[in-house]
Amino acid sequence: MPFPIINSIASWVLKQRIHQIELFIKYPHEVQNELLMNLIRNCEETVVGKKYDFDSIKNYTAFAERVPVSTYEELEPMIELTRKGAQNVFWHKPIKWFAKSSGTTNAKSKFIPVSETALMDCHFKGSKDLLCMYLNNNENSELFLGKSLRLGGSSQIYENNNTYFGDLSAILIENMPIWAEFSSTPSNKISLMSEWETKLTAIINETKAENVTSFAGVPSWMLVLLNRILTETGKENLYELWPNLEVYFHGGVSFEPYREQYTKILPNSNFKYYEIYNASEGFFAIQDLNDSNDLLLMLDYGIFYEFIPMDSFGTENQKIIRLCDVELFKNYAIVITTNSGLWRYMIGDTVRFTSLSPYRIRVSGRTKHYINVFGEELMIENTDKAIAKTCSELQCDVKDYTVAPIFMKGKEKGAHEWMIEFKKHPDDVKSFQKLLDENLQTVNSDYEAKRYKNMTLNPLKVNVARENLFYDWLKENNKLGGQHKIPRLSNERDYLEQLKNMMVAVPK
C-alpha cells in the first residue's frame, strides 16, 4: 500500500481516537465508574457473579464491600477450572487464551486469562493508541515507510483442553491483524522461535536488509540484540545500517539504566523514545508526549483501577482507594478489575502519580521487589535513577544489577549489597561505590536518614560481576528471552547468593 494512502488512513484513525482520549481525560471518574458497572452487569450470571451477587451491586461502595482483593494464588483454582474447559466462571464469554508468565519472583508459572474482548479492546487498542499519540506529536513522521523491528518472548503457543497458552507476545502475534504483520520484522515464524540464541541469529539475518524505522521491545533484551547486530555487521552505530530510524517503543523494565548505552548506538538527537506500560493482565499506560517520562493512564480499555497506598500495604490498616482519591507522588500498589475476568486483582506493580489532570503515572517498582528491612523503603525507581546518575558522572555503563540486604548481626549494622555487571567498567570501583551511595541518598530520603552518620546502615557494598553472569543465571533458570527480567531488589538474599555462587562456577 503506498505511503500517502497509509498516512491518510492513519491520520483519520488518529483524529477519531484523539477525540475519545480527550473524553476520558475530561471525565475520568465518570468513564471509570461506567466501565465498572458494565463489567459487573456483563458477568451477573457467571460463577463469580452469583457468588458475590453482582445482580444487586449498584455502585462502587457495594462492589468494594463484597468482592475481596485477590492475588493470583487465590484466583488460581478458578483459572485452572477454565483452562480445563469450564466457561462462564469469571467472564461471561469463552476464554481460550492464557498468557503464561513466571514473573521475576516465582519459578511456578502463572496463566493469566486473556479474553477476546481484552485482545481487541485493550492490548491491540493500546498498540494502535501508541502509534496515534506518536503520529499526533510527530506530524512529519515517515514511520510507515519502513518496518518495526519487534522483539517479543521466546515461546510458541501450546494447546491444552481446547485452550491455548504461551507468553503474551506469542498470543498477540497469533492474533495479529495482517496489516500489522506486513509492517513488522522479523516474520511471525522467527518471532515465535523458542530457542533464544538461535532466534537472535535468525532475527539478524532477516532484519539487516530491511528498512527498519522503529524498534519495539524490552530495553535490556533489545540492547543485547542491537549490540549483536552491530558486531556481526561491523557497523559503528545503527544509522549506518538503518538510516531512517526514528523511534523506539519500549516497556517492561525501566529505561534509565540503559539510556546512555542507547544514545551511543543511536547518535541522533532527533531519535525518539516512547514508553508503554503493559503486562499479561492488560495495557495500562502510554507516553503521550515527546521527551517525557510520564505515562497517560488509559481509562477506557476495559480496566477499572484501584490503589493501595504503599505506606499501609500489607498491614492491618491497609486501605484501598479509587482513582479520584489518589495523591501526587505517593507510591501505590495497583488493583485491577478487567475485561478478562480478573476481579480486584493485585498485579504486583507500584506506581506514583505525577499529574492528576490528566492522570499520568510513573512505574516505581514491584510490591515484592523493594527493600524495607531497615525502614529505608527502597524502590526500583530509586536504584535505577541512582545507578544511571552514577554511570553518567563516572563515564561507565551498567549491563545488569541486583540488590539485597546485609542483615544485622550482633552489634554489626546492616547494609545493602549490590551485584553489578558492567558493560564499561569505572576507573575505580571504590569511587563508584561511594558515589552510588551518595546518589541513592539524594533520591531516597528514608535511605539517607538510615545512612546518617552510619547510625543504622553502613555504606553499600558493590560486587563486580564477571562477564555474562546475569545472562548465565537467566539461562540456567530457563528465563532467556524478551519478557524475562532480572530481579532488581529483594528483601531476602536468595538471588544474590545464587549469583555469588555462579561467580566461581564455570559457565555452561
Side-chain angles (χ1 to χ4, degrees), residues 17 30 36 101 114 131 137-138 159-160 175 198 217 219 223 228 230 232 253 258 271 327 368 390 416 453 494:
R17 185 55 186 146
E30 291 85 350
L36 174 64
S101 171
V114 182
L131 293 174
N137 295 330
N138 301 279
E159 183 179 355
N160 183 29
N175 291 276
T198 304
L223 194 60
R228 183 82 66 88
L230 290 175
E232 296 205 9
V253 299
Y258 306 102
F271 187 82
E327 300 175 30
K368 293 183 179 179
T390 306
H416 290 174
K453 294 185 177 180
D494 300 8

Side-chain angles (χ1 to χ4, degrees), residues 245-314:
L245 286 171
E246 58 176 86
V247 62
Y248 173 28
F249 302 112
H250 63 87
V253 299
S254 170
F255 189 62
E256 285 309 308
Y258 306 102
R259 187 178 296 278
E260 287 208 12
Q261 295 179 61
Y262 273 91
T263 57
K264 289 175 183 175
I265 61 176
L266 291 160
N268 185 334
S269 59
N270 293 321
F271 187 82
K272 300 289 192 296
Y273 298 90
Y274 262 64
E275 185 175 354
I276 62 171
Y277 172 31
N278 69 334
S280 298
E281 293 86 352
F283 204 122
F284 308 123
I286 300 172
Q287 178 183 327
D288 63 321
L289 301 171
N290 286 340
D291 306 315
S292 173
N293 291 320
D294 300 334
L295 309 181
L296 180 68
L297 189 64
M298 306 304 288
L299 303 179
D300 64 348
Y301 285 1
I303 298 174
F304 178 77
Y305 293 97
E306 296 174 271
F307 303 90
I308 304 174
M310 283 303 291
D311 55 14
S312 70
F313 181 81

